[in-house]
Amino acid sequence: MFTAGWPAAGSVHGTTPTLASTSNPTADCPSSSFSESLGVRHSNTEFEPHLAVDPRNEDHLVGVWGQDYWSWGMVNAATAGVSLDGGRTFTDVGMPFSCAPAGSQAASVNDVWDSIGPDGTVYASAIVEVPDVGIGVTASHDGGLTWGSTQVLHDPTEKCIDLGCTSAVASPYLDVDKPTITADPVHAGTAYVVWSAYRTVYLGNYPMMSKTTDFGVTWTQPLPIPVGQVTATTDGNLFLIDPRSGVLYDVFDQQNASDDPHVGIGDSSSTGTRWAIQVVSSSNGGLTWSPAHQVSPLLSVCEAGHQDRCSGVHSAGSEEEAAIDPKTGALYVVWQDGRFSNGAYDEIALSTSADGGITWSAPARVSTPSGSAAINPAVAVTSDGTVGVTYYDFRGPSGGPAGAGLPTTVWMSTSPAGGKAFGKDLSLTDAPFDFRLAPTRFGGNALGEYYGLVGGKDFHALFPTSATGGASGMSDIWSVTVPVRSGRAYPS
């Protein structure tokens, strides 16, 4: 379907995008009666991938994604795609997060994430229903080809504890969102999982975290991360670990509880900036945390219900992505932001910190101005400090107006260490795809709110595109490697 946006000659790995979702290992996984009552199961439709690279061997990549998307917003199962040749080929296997018993009331999955430790152990997390909503974790000790049984770390009937809760907010947790899992890059067997646990709808939450130090055999009792007022809403928690010092960072977005988080920043009905990106740090493995430091107000105008501002698609909106330079500890955060267009549509912003997240650079636009939205950013750093940012936009096949449907391209731009000199965009999808063929979520076409981008010596991306539909499903997952030379994608 695609050809690469640069010549393959001279590259370390072939740069032609490879289809990663080559099979559906969970095709026989039954649907729950609850899921069937809410909507339609789109077979062979993959959603929201994530990617991890083995620090011992960059040819070993493990992607995870949702499998068989439900029209009401979740997926029926989860798939892991394992590559042992740098992303040229993948072996797809089912993950132990789903498969509903006959007649069960709930068995859908969401927000699958993975990470690989320094010994090669692969850790994965997801929202699961057992039948209540909880955080599922599992580990693989053979590179992702087989997985242990799922453990559930959070029971949503647990009462609010140790958070200064009043009677007004001390109701049971009603929902969880966006679990992410991060392996310690130095200490084999140690990994962390973090997520948002809501007490009442849009009425405050804290991030919750758990930790394993025995390769995923056991996990600590989930505990809250104190990040501010108890009535504030936090989401999008991402852990970064500095391999030099062991400092653990939690990067997240936070919103005052007086505003509905599904209303975009561009509306005039609120009390000012609703979302802000924050960071806290811990030097003792998550036992205690620093005060929060603000990265930037998050001025996305493309929240759910306002997809018209981003070409009618459901995007990351108020979700950030983050990365750390393993040599210097520099932090990088990217997100969608409407400030550069005066609130007309989102583009991609980047901010950096060189002092452990205490101070941050002014947000800079890293997407190419095109007169239309840029969405769904990702960021990664290679071993030599090169910074890569990827994103989707709708500028059309040659940078001009889009034609029929919604021609969409995935772009990458890179900068030498520091993130201050991004070069020209490289197309990861030389032939644009039609986003209008993607499944719908919350009123807009959607491929997920995140996807995979990792850095080793080179960059590796794992991203979804729409497909032609029918037996092949409505979306596919693609892999591409971007070689790096002298602080730039090659050729630049």
Side-chain angles (χ1 to χ4, degrees):
M1 180 178 180
F2 300 117
T3 56
W6 52 87
S11 63
V12 176
H13 302 298
T15 54
T16 299
T18 297
L19 183 65
S21 53
T22 56
S23 64
N24 184 350
T26 65
D28 295 333
C29 192
S31 304
S32 72
S33 55
F34 176 74
S35 294
E36 290 177 340
S37 71
L38 293 178
V40 177
R41 173 178 171 177
H42 297 294
S43 296
N44 303 316
T45 294
E46 292 79 27
F47 198 76
E48 215 164 48
H50 190 257
L51 183 65
V53 60
D54 190 333
R56 308 169 306 166
N57 175 12
E58 193 168 335
D59 281 340
H60 177 208
L61 304 170
V62 180
V64 293
W65 55 83
Q67 187 69 59
D68 289 11
Y69 180 76
W70 282 98
S71 61
W72 52 275
M74 293 185 75
V75 293
N76 196 65
T79 293
V82 180
S83 177
L84 301 177
D85 55 10
R88 294 189 189 95
T89 60
F90 284 80
T91 299
D92 297 342
V93 299
M95 301 185 73
F97 287 139
S98 56
C99 282
S104 70
Q105 291 301 302
S108 53
V109 183
N110 209 7
D111 292 343
V112 191
W113 202 272
D114 69 335
S115 186
I116 303 179
D119 65 314
T121 299
V122 190
Y123 304 90
S125 62
I127 296 175
V128 297
E129 296 179 336
V130 288
D132 296 320
V133 174
I135 303 301
V137 290
T138 184
S140 171
H141 303 289
D142 62 1
L145 295 173
T146 62
W147 296 83
S149 59
T150 297
Q151 298 182 56
V152 179
L153 299 180
H154 181 67
D155 180 347
T157 64
E158 177 185 352
K159 300 291 184 179
C160 175
I161 56 172
D162 299 330
L163 300 178
C165 297
T166 67
S167 59
V169 296
S171 57
Y173 290 110
L174 297 183
D175 199 5
V176 292
D177 196 22
K178 189 69 180 291
T180 61
I181 199 163
T182 304
D184 189 302
V186 176
H187 300 99
T190 297
Y192 302 83
V193 62
V194 61
W195 65 94
S196 295
Y198 295 90
R199 296 184 195 87
T200 60
V201 178
Y202 310 142
L203 186 57
N205 69 307
Y206 268 62
M208 301 289 289
M209 66 160 284
S210 179
K211 176 181 179 180
T212 180
T213 57
D214 56 10
F215 304 90
V217 176
T218 62
W219 292 81
T220 59
Q221 177 182 341
L223 292 174
I225 301 174
V227 295
Q229 57 181 317
V230 72
T231 56
T233 294
T234 64
D235 202 7
N237 294 274
L238 299 166
F239 274 6
L240 303 173
I241 302 175
D242 189 335
R244 308 166 311 151
S245 63
V247 171
L248 176 65
Y249 298 94
D250 181 19
V251 184
F252 58 94
D253 49 83
Q254 188 171 50
Q255 185 225 30
N256 187 284
S258 65
D259 299 309
D260 182 339
H262 290 91
V263 177
I265 295 298
D267 290 303
S268 59
S269 58
S270 101
T271 57
T273 299
R274 297 187 182 122
W275 288 102
I277 302 171
Q278 311 268 16
V279 61
V280 294
S281 62
S282 173
S283 59
N284 54 17
L287 294 177
T288 60
W289 293 86
S290 73
H293 298 283
Q294 180 169 291
V295 177
S296 170
L298 196 160
L299 305 179
S300 172
V301 298
C302 294
E303 278 291 298
H306 296 279
Q307 292 93 339
D308 57 301
R309 298 169 180 159
C310 283
S311 300
V313 305
H314 176 77
S315 62
S318 59
E319 299 277 352
E320 83 295 336
E321 296 292 333
I324 187 169
D325 186 325
K327 284 189 174 181
T328 68
L331 303 173
Y332 300 88
V333 177
V334 293
W335 67 95
Q336 291 178 211
D337 202 291
R339 75 185 70 200
F340 309 111
S341 67
N342 291 320
Y345 46 80
D346 280 354
E347 296 173 279
I348 306 307
L350 175 140
S351 183
T352 67
S353 175
D355 60 4
I358 297 173
T359 62
W360 291 82
S361 65
R365 178 171 53 193
V366 292
S367 55
T368 297
S370 65
S372 63
I375 64 169
N376 292 8
V379 62
V381 184
T382 61
S383 56
D384 72 349
T386 302
V387 184
V389 175
T390 53
Y391 63 94
Y392 291 60
D393 80 5
F394 315 113
R395 70 183 82 163
S398 59
L406 187 60
T408 305
T409 303
V410 182
W411 301 98
M412 183 172 203
S413 184
T414 60
S415 167
K420 299 183 185 301
F422 282 87
K424 66 180 182 180
D425 289 342
L426 296 173
S427 170
L428 304 191
T429 50
D430 201 37
F433 65 93
D434 186 356
F435 213 117
R436 292 284 180 254
L437 298 177
T440 58
R441 188 182 207 187
F442 305 135
N445 297 103
L447 292 167
E449 298 176 353
Y450 61 84
Y451 53 94
L453 180 66
V454 294
K457 188 171 70 70
D458 299 319
F459 289 109
H460 305 274
L462 190 73
F463 55 88
T465 71
S466 63
T468 56
S472 63
M474 301 179 71
S475 55
D476 291 314
I477 307 296
W478 295 85
S479 166
V480 67
T481 291
V482 181
V484 173
R485 301 289 184 274
S486 302
R488 293 284 187 193
Y490 176 83
S492 179

